[in-house]
Amino acid sequence: MKYVGIKQVLKAVENDEIKTVYIGDDAEEHVTAKLIKLCEEKNIEVKYVETMEELGKMAGIEVKSAAAAE
């Protein structure tokens, strides 16, 4: 994953730098809502990963992550 974390992924989406966003299905809605809405507006694919822990591992980090992108 090139971008990890809500802030980095949100910035990358705003700058049209990514094609796919991954979101932990167990992330709190108030954390992910703005990102999901922006992805919908920019027609960026959103894929859900079962847990934030699993997403963190996919992204190559040792902590949970609510969002990641490539």
Side-chain angles (χ1 to χ4, degrees):
M1 302 286 172
K2 191 172 180 182
Y3 303 94
V4 181
I6 289 288
K7 289 180 183 178
Q8 286 188 347
V9 173
L10 193 55
K11 185 176 179 181
V13 170
E14 289 170 346
N15 294 331
D16 298 317
E17 297 175 3
I18 56 175
K19 296 178 183 176
T20 306
V21 169
Y22 298 88
I23 294 179
D25 208 22
D26 58 343
E28 294 185 31
E29 185 178 340
H30 74 275
V31 173
T32 61
K34 182 178 178 181
L35 176 59
I36 293 169
K37 182 178 179 187
L38 187 59
C39 288
E40 289 173 356
E41 290 171 3
K42 292 186 170 265
N43 292 320
I44 294 172
E45 182 179 16
V46 176
K47 293 185 178 181
Y48 291 90
V49 177
E50 195 169 324
T51 65
M52 292 189 303
E53 184 175 354
E54 185 179 335
L55 183 53
K57 288 178 183 176
M58 286 174 56
I61 61 173
E62 295 182 18
V63 294
K64 296 177 182 179
S65 179
E70 56 185 5

